Amino acid sequence: MKPDVLVAVTVFPEILDKLARHFEVTANQDDVPWTPAELTQQLQGMQGAFTTGTVRIDARLLAACPQLKICANMAVGYNNFDLDAMTAAGVLATNTPDVLTETTADFGFALLMATARRITESEHFLRAGQWGRWRYDLFAGAEVHGSTLGILGMGRIGQGIAKRGAHGFGMKVIYHNRSRLDPATEAACGARWVSKAELLKTCDHLVLVLPYSADSHHCIGAAELAQMKPTATLVNIARGGIVDDVALAAALRAGTIAAAGLDVFEGEPTVHPDLLACHNVVLTPHIASATLTTRRAMAHLAADNLIGFLVHGQPLTPLNPQVLAV
Ligand code: DGY
């Protein structure tokens, strides 16, 4: 008998075909937004779940779904998982590292450029018919090449952004991370470790690429923004909740920093009205990894984790491998 698997979100049809070769598949192809109670109901009797960052897996759900053995997230971030609760319940968690690194770094850099050079703000102005004539200071933004790029969180994606900045744009790259990179990796990234205080004070452009956790919640708030240069820009491609959106909107209004580029939001898909009211912020709907090639690679890796574990006993990218030892 094939194991039962729930695909909790819409996904490429080819992924459903691939899973159906190994599993009895129940799919949410209409992308119905399930409440936690509905998700729990849908998961009854399922051994596996294909999830994304929008699907919360916590202790309450796990207690009500004793047959569940694996949740395969189609995302590198996994703050939608209560990993401790999953480990305690003996449920394997997997994510999709590596396959999205370069695409996400490309987007981080694109958002930095759009923010610094005021691309969306000036396009809105043009479309609104407000462009009367060339002016010496029309949408004058911040220099990118040769400026100082600060990176908070220096995992694979942070390193990709550092390389683009250092080697492509001649930027001085500084970073802060709990653990320092080894000297060879620092050299390859053209990056230098600094304290968080120095990072905030020194950089011209700050990019956030750290994972969300209780420790990183609102780690950029009013106090941190006040330490940045009034000409600085801030880009968040990590997770909503890392930045205090209300404090950021206040800083953008007051000119504490010059501009921001945000791909993620606390409470997304709702965006705080204070941010929507700011002209000096570029807003995108959590699309940093969104090329078809990369999203396909993420979906295949999540599916391969389900197949690897439920069929062969060997997942590809486990987050809590201690579950396998039991
Ligand atoms: C990730 O992979 O974590 C992206 O944010 C998509 O959810």
Side-chain angles (χ1 to χ4, degrees), residues 52-54 73-80 95-97 100 104 157 237-239 263-264 268 286-290 295 298:
T52 61
T54 57
N73 223 25
M74 182 187 149
V76 67
Y78 51 89
N79 55 301
N80 57 309
N95 69 339
T96 57
L100 48 59
T104 305
I157 297 168
I237 56 164
R239 279 291 181 269
D263 186 48
V264 286
E268 63 185 52
H286 202 145
I287 55 168
S289 62
R295 287 282 165 88
M298 293 163 70

